[in-house]
Amino acid sequence: MSKRPVLSLKPKSESIEKTKLEVSEQEKSKPKFDQIAFEKKARKERMKRNHAALNVVKSLNLPMPLAKGIGRSIVLQLREQGISSKAASWAIQRWTHSDVYLNAVINGKRRLNLDGTEAELITDAEREYSRSILEARNLT
């Protein structure tokens, strides 16, 4: 019977240390990308755009219940003013879920178009939905 060869697991210390040094030098030379700072800056810019759109929607003086489906025409008007559709949609959603707007739905009788003409009636289910949202906000 022949003996098995014995494997030695001793590393060659010089070659390993050289490669470690080369890797660490390469890491130092690379510019580090700060993901958190980038996301924070992008979030601030997005919020500036969104708040600009919200200010435009608020400036329309729309405390009245809006006609159903009128959001598309508002988005188109805001697009003409240079506001993105995403920011415009966000602003409309924020406005139509605000306490002022929900109270207008509860107390109003008819929905209105942008030019002030009357649209459809506000249903009891819509009033109840607005009331439930406001009650849930007051509880928390």
Side-chain angles (χ1 to χ4, degrees):
M1 273 175 122
S2 66
K3 288 188 173 181
R4 291 179 154 180
V6 177
L7 296 176
S8 151
L9 298 176
K10 294 180 182 177
K12 295 180 181 177
S13 60
E14 290 180 22
S15 64
I16 291 176
E17 287 180 25
K18 285 181 183 178
T19 55
K20 284 182 182 178
L21 288 174
E22 290 172 4
V23 170
S24 64
E25 288 175 8
Q26 289 174 352
E27 287 177 357
K28 287 179 184 177
S29 65
K30 286 183 184 178
K32 292 191 176 184
F33 179 71
D34 190 2
Q35 183 72 25
I36 295 171
F38 175 77
E39 289 173 357
K40 189 175 182 181
K41 184 178 177 183
R43 192 178 316 114
K44 276 186 177 182
E45 290 174 3
R46 187 172 53 248
M47 289 308 295
K48 279 183 186 178
R49 288 191 308 269
N50 289 346
H51 284 292
L54 184 60
N55 289 336
V56 170
V57 170
K58 283 183 179 179
S59 71
L60 296 174
N61 292 326
L62 303 171
M64 62 215 172
L66 297 173
K68 292 179 183 176
I70 204 164
R72 289 184 182 147
S73 60
I74 294 174
V75 168
L76 290 176
Q77 286 183 3
L78 293 177
R79 291 275 305 168
E80 291 172 0
Q81 296 180 15
I83 296 173
S84 72
S85 352
K86 195 173 192 178
S89 298
W90 178 86
I92 292 168
Q93 190 271 339
R94 284 283 305 260
W95 174 246
T96 56
H97 287 78
S98 69
D99 293 346
V100 173
Y101 184 83
L102 293 173
N103 280 321
V105 171
I106 292 170
N107 299 325
K109 294 184 180 182
R110 295 187 79 82
R111 293 183 173 277
L112 301 173
N113 294 315
L114 286 179
D115 58 1
T117 59
E118 292 184 351
E120 64 269 0
L121 291 172
I122 298 173
T123 65
D124 290 335
E126 292 167 343
R127 282 192 184 91
E128 187 57 38
Y129 177 74
S130 297
R131 197 173 286 115
S132 67
I133 291 175
L134 288 175
E135 288 173 0
R137 287 183 189 168
N138 291 336
L139 293 176
T140 57

